[in-house]
Amino acid sequence: MTEDGRRPGIRLAGRLETAAELVRQQRARVVLVSGDGHGASGDETAAMTAHLTEQLGVDPQRIVADPYGLDTYDSCRRAREVYGVERALIVTQSYHLSRAVTLCRQLGVDADGVPARCTGCGTGLLVEKSVRDYFASGKAAWDAIRNRPAAVDSPAHPGVTDALTD
């Protein structure tokens, strides 16, 4: 998701721009950035946090990073179980939105979707990503049916609650 391990790629940047706009419009009070904080492409959550604060002007106290959101299922499960999220706006591109919202709802988060900007998303890319997401839906359904635990077990984290009370 990052270009050089430090900056978000174009689609991730679109998600972050949309999230920042939701904060500015006061439709969201906290941004939970979720991704692989220890992956081959660098620390995704650090790159997202830096972009939100340095490029988009979001108050750092409004950002909570989950470095173990290794896939959409883990991100939703950890949002509920680790960060205590009960209600959320899920920001992602349209080709991924219904699966992400459905998973979060299945895992106990009252979620609605907000389509993110998709600069550079031509027809070919949208078809490719839609096909990928279609096949990923089978894995997501299987994960939900068997109630797969998150890949990384973590204790409760007060970050979201703390950000909401500030």
Side-chain angles (χ1 to χ4, degrees):
M1 288 288 203
T2 60
E3 286 181 3
D4 57 6
R6 295 186 312 266
R7 292 179 305 191
I10 192 165
R11 287 185 302 280
L12 181 54
R15 294 174 188 178
L16 298 170
E17 290 163 7
T18 303
E21 189 173 301
L22 291 170
V23 170
R24 281 192 293 279
Q25 295 171 349
Q26 298 181 341
R27 291 182 57 203
R29 298 185 331 192
V30 178
V31 179
L32 176 62
V33 293
S34 185
D36 190 347
H38 310 284
S41 65
D43 184 342
E44 292 175 348
T45 56
M48 289 186 269
T49 300
H51 190 75
L52 283 165
T53 58
E54 297 166 12
Q55 302 299 316
L56 302 173
V58 176
D59 179 352
Q61 303 230 338
R62 298 280 155 227
I63 303 167
V64 176
D66 176 10
Y68 299 111
L70 305 180
D71 62 15
T72 304
Y73 180 89
D74 277 359
S75 293
C76 292
R77 182 166 200 124
R78 290 176 56 79
R80 181 73 183 113
E81 292 179 358
V82 175
Y83 297 92
V85 174
E86 295 177 358
R87 173 104 180 94
L89 294 174
I90 307 300
V91 178
T92 191
Q93 276 77 24
S94 60
Y95 53 79
H96 180 237
L97 201 55
S98 64
R99 178 168 62 96
V101 168
T102 300
L103 270 173
C104 282
R105 287 177 179 169
Q106 181 67 31
L107 293 166
V109 177
D110 180 12
D112 288 310
V114 178
R117 291 180 181 88
C118 201
T119 305
C121 289
T123 303
L125 179 72
L126 291 174
V127 168
E128 172 191 331
K129 294 297 182 182
S130 294
V131 169
R132 180 200 174 280
D133 212 69
Y134 174 80
F135 287 108
S137 295
K139 177 188 177 295
W142 178 243
D143 286 343
I145 288 168
R146 65 185 176 105
N147 198 28
R148 173 178 68 87
V152 177
D153 187 32
S154 300
H157 189 289
V160 171
T161 303
D162 291 351
L164 288 170
T165 58
D166 283 347

